[in-house]
Amino acid sequence: MRTMRVDPAILAIALLCISLPAYPQPSAPPSKIKVIKAGRVLDVASGKMLRDQVIVIRDELIESVAAAGAPLPDGAEIVDLSASTVLPGLIDAHTHLIADPTQPPYHGYGVSVPRLALKGAANARVTLLAGVTTVRDVRSEEHTSELQSPI
């Protein structure tokens, strides 16, 4: 049988670690709850417009959608959109955010990359305000690649 010699300092540290009381884990921050009172909600699954709905959002995720009069969570922030229509974000899978349809063809070849970025940001804002929360920008990089100087 082989014996092993342990350094007394390592043994003391190990015993100290074992004997220390367990520290409580920090508790998770309280959930942030928001309740939206909506006059109308578009239910995309059924294709129907629901009236007088309450949407409960916990930590930025929709927890429930129910008819008005449902019990509300304590301490929730209330957003009153009872005069408005609430719908899920729309998706546009074919956009050209840097395009400017008011300009003649080939006008974009003389536009700088920073100006195209500003135009794209302005178009993205208009798109977002129209209710489109997700876009797929189609081939904008092709237009900008000719304008960039080689590295």
Side-chain angles (χ1 to χ4, degrees), residues 5-18:
R5 182 170 159 83
V6 178
D7 186 345
I10 293 177
L11 182 60
I13 292 172
L15 289 173
L16 180 64
C17 290
I18 292 171

Side-chain angles (χ1 to χ4, degrees), residues 20-146:
L20 287 175
Y23 289 101
Q25 294 294 326
S27 60
S31 295
K32 182 177 178 186
I33 304 171
K34 187 180 286 189
V35 172
I36 299 175
K37 293 182 177 182
R40 293 167 304 283
V41 173
L42 175 62
D43 179 4
V44 294
S46 69
K48 295 180 181 176
M49 190 67 72
L50 307 175
R51 299 209 173 268
D52 299 321
Q53 299 292 302
V54 174
I55 304 167
V56 177
I57 302 169
R58 186 181 305 269
D59 294 330
E60 299 184 14
L61 293 175
I62 296 175
E63 186 175 274
S64 65
V65 178
L72 302 179
D74 292 333
E77 174 189 348
I78 307 292
V79 178
D80 188 7
L81 296 177
S82 54
S84 301
T85 301
V86 176
L87 62 148
L90 302 174
I91 298 172
D92 188 343
H94 188 118
T95 63
H96 298 277
L97 290 176
I98 65 169
D100 187 350
T102 65
Q103 297 296 324
Y106 305 109
H107 170 77
Y109 291 119
V111 180
S112 69
V113 173
R115 184 171 296 274
L116 286 174
L118 291 172
K119 175 56 88 176
N123 287 340
R125 183 178 189 278
V126 169
T127 303
L128 179 62
L129 293 175
V132 178
T133 59
T134 303
V135 298
R136 182 178 66 122
D137 192 51
V138 184
R139 301 181 70 162
S140 285
E141 72 282 349
E142 237 177 55
H143 300 293
T144 58
S145 63
E146 296 172 7

